[in-house]
Amino acid sequence: MRSAKDETKMAPEGTGGTDSGKPSRNVGDALRQAYDDAVGEAVPDDLLDLLKKLD
C-alpha cells in the first residue's frame, strides 16, 4: 500500500530528451513560445505610472 507521500518521491517518467542527453526540440519550441507570449504582453498601467514618477 502506498501513501500520498510515496507518489511525490517517485522520479518523473520520461524527460523528453534523447539518448544523447540533449533536450528534445519540443522543449525549445515551448520555451520560445512562452518567451514570445511574455514579450507580447502589455505593461500594466500602474507600473507605467510608477515608472513615470521615477523620471
Side-chain angles (χ1 to χ4, degrees):
M1 178 178 257
R2 291 187 194 177
S3 69
K5 283 187 174 184
D6 291 338
E7 293 296 324
T8 60
K9 291 179 186 177
M10 296 178 63
E13 293 180 14
T15 58
T18 61
D19 290 336
S20 65
K22 295 180 182 177
S24 70
R25 185 172 294 265
N26 292 336
V27 172
D29 291 341
L31 288 172
R32 264 185 228 94
Q33 182 63 45
Y35 175 80
D36 290 341
D37 291 346
V39 168
E41 289 182 12
V43 178
D45 291 334
D46 56 339
L47 182 56
L48 290 174
D49 292 339
L50 181 62
L51 290 172
K52 286 178 186 177
K53 290 178 183 178
L54 292 174
D55 283 338

